[in-house]
């Protein structure tokens, strides 16, 4: 077994120039693969760099693809863990910057469920999804709110309409978070354990979902205007039969933890 004391390729983060790759020698194959994935060689630094302004997620995916290609060719690769830490989200003056942590993979959390046997353990995984500061449900709500603010900044009728539509969607995400919190709390107190002879989770068919009617453009427009300040509020509008009207202002925060 041959152990590489020095990797063939190493990825890291340059303080001013972003994601960089260093190679142990000038083999054409290394240069070819890196250039194929948009790295460019800097003769001054003797490093390969991604173009300036490459989004964080794009850079992480690029490093993953290049690393896989090199490893499949039998080469060794090293990567600085700081590559996974996203840049902070811009905030107004006087507002504390939210601490940046590595992104949490929902796919990885789903994979964890296949190895769990106790209800309480499933509750712990679900709690990670609902974490107040770094859970994916709260992150999705914040992303949609930010997209809505972006649309408002267009200062056009279409932009304002789409902004209202996105804010309505963010409300639904917050409501979804509250429903998941209830399910997580129920799982946390259940003493149930999967039987030893139960089939693997991968072999259990997923439950059928309710059919969701197609949403027409008119329905989308109504949803977009549902929270418009020019229309009656939810408190003064009559609720359709069998439909509960909830207000974003009074909805419990989806970003809460057990």
């Amino acid at each position: 077994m041959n152990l590489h004391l020095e990797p063939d390729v190493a990825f890291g983060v340059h303080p001013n120039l972003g994601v960089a790759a260093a190679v142990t020698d000038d083999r054409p194959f290394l240069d070819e693969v890196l250039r194929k994935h948009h790295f460019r060689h800097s003769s001054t630094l003797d490093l390969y760099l991604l173009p300036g302004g490459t989004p964080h997620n794009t850079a992480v995916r690029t490093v993953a693809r290049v690393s896989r290609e090199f490893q499949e060719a039998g080469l060794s690769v090293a990567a600085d863990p700081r590559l996974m830490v996203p840049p902070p989200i811009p905030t107004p003056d006087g507002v504390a910057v939210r601490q940046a942590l590595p992104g949490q993979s929902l796919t990885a959390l789903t994979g964890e469920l296949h190895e769990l046997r106790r209800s309480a353990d499933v509750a712990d995984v679900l709690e990670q999804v609902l974490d107040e500061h770094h859970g994916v449900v709260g992150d999705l709500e914040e992303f949609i709110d930010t997209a809505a603010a972006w649309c408002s900044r267009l200062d056009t009728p279409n932009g304002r309409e789409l902004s209202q539509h996105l804010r309505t969607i963010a409300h639904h995400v917050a409501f979804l978070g509250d429903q998941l919190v209830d399910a997580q709390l129920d799982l946390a107190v259940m003493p149930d354990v999967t039987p030893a002879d139960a089939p693997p989770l991968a072999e259990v068919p997923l439950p059928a979902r309710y059919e969701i009617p197609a949403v027409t453009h008119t329905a989308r427009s109504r949803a977009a205007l549902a929270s418009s300040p020019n229309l009656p509020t939810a408190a003064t509008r009559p609720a359709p039969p069998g439909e509960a009207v909830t207000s974003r202002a009074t909805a419990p925060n989806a970003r809460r933890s057990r």
Side-chain angles (χ1 to χ4, degrees):
M1 181 177 182
N2 294 324
L3 295 177
H4 288 272
L5 299 179
E6 182 177 321
D8 296 299
V9 185
F11 293 97
V13 182
H14 190 279
N16 301 317
L17 301 175
V19 176
V23 298
T24 55
D25 55 46
D26 58 356
R27 278 176 284 176
F29 176 73
L30 300 176
D31 180 83
E32 176 186 344
V33 172
L34 287 166
R35 289 184 183 276
K36 181 177 72 174
H37 291 277
H38 309 296
F39 281 88
R40 294 295 177 262
H41 185 258
S42 167
S43 55
T44 304
L45 299 172
D46 194 22
L47 292 172
Y48 287 86
L49 302 169
L50 281 176
T54 300
H56 170 75
N57 285 353
T58 301
V60 171
R61 287 194 299 267
T62 299
V63 170
R65 284 194 294 265
V66 177
S67 299
R68 188 180 305 115
E69 190 163 343
F70 282 142
Q71 289 170 338
E72 289 174 350
L75 301 174
S76 60
V77 180
D80 188 333
R82 287 174 294 182
L83 280 168
M84 297 299 297
V85 180
I89 298 173
T91 58
D93 293 337
V95 177
V97 176
R98 179 176 161 192
Q99 183 184 7
L101 292 176
Q104 188 159 238
S105 168
L106 190 57
T107 302
L109 291 176
T110 303
E112 286 186 29
L113 295 180
H114 289 255
E115 306 300 324
L116 303 179
R117 307 194 71 83
R118 299 189 310 129
S119 300
D121 294 334
V122 178
D124 289 341
V125 172
L126 188 52
E127 187 171 13
Q128 295 181 57
V129 176
L130 299 166
D131 181 84
E132 182 177 2
H133 301 291
H134 304 290
V136 293
V137 172
D139 285 348
L140 178 59
E141 185 184 355
E142 182 176 8
F143 174 83
I144 297 172
D145 276 334
T146 303
W150 188 95
C151 291
S152 293
R153 196 175 57 170
L154 294 173
D155 200 24
T156 62
N158 287 338
R160 287 188 288 272
E161 181 178 354
L162 185 54
S163 176
Q164 293 291 349
H165 184 200
L166 287 168
R167 293 190 195 284
T168 301
I169 294 173
H171 165 77
H172 291 308
V173 172
F175 178 73
L176 169 65
D178 291 323
Q179 299 302 301
L180 287 173
V181 166
D182 291 340
Q184 187 263 336
L185 293 174
D186 287 341
L187 279 165
V189 298
M190 285 169 53
D192 301 342
V193 177
T194 304
D197 59 349
L201 185 56
E203 297 178 7
V204 178
L206 297 179
R209 299 181 185 177
Y210 291 109
E211 178 109 8
I212 300 177
V215 179
T216 64
H217 178 73
T218 303
R220 288 196 185 96
S221 298
R222 274 199 207 107
L225 297 172
S227 56
S228 171
N230 299 322
L231 295 177
T233 62
T236 59
R237 282 200 309 269
E243 179 180 331
V245 178
T246 56
S247 167
R248 176 73 183 271
T250 58
N253 190 351
R255 293 189 168 201
R256 59 178 173 174
S257 57
R258 178 164 58 91

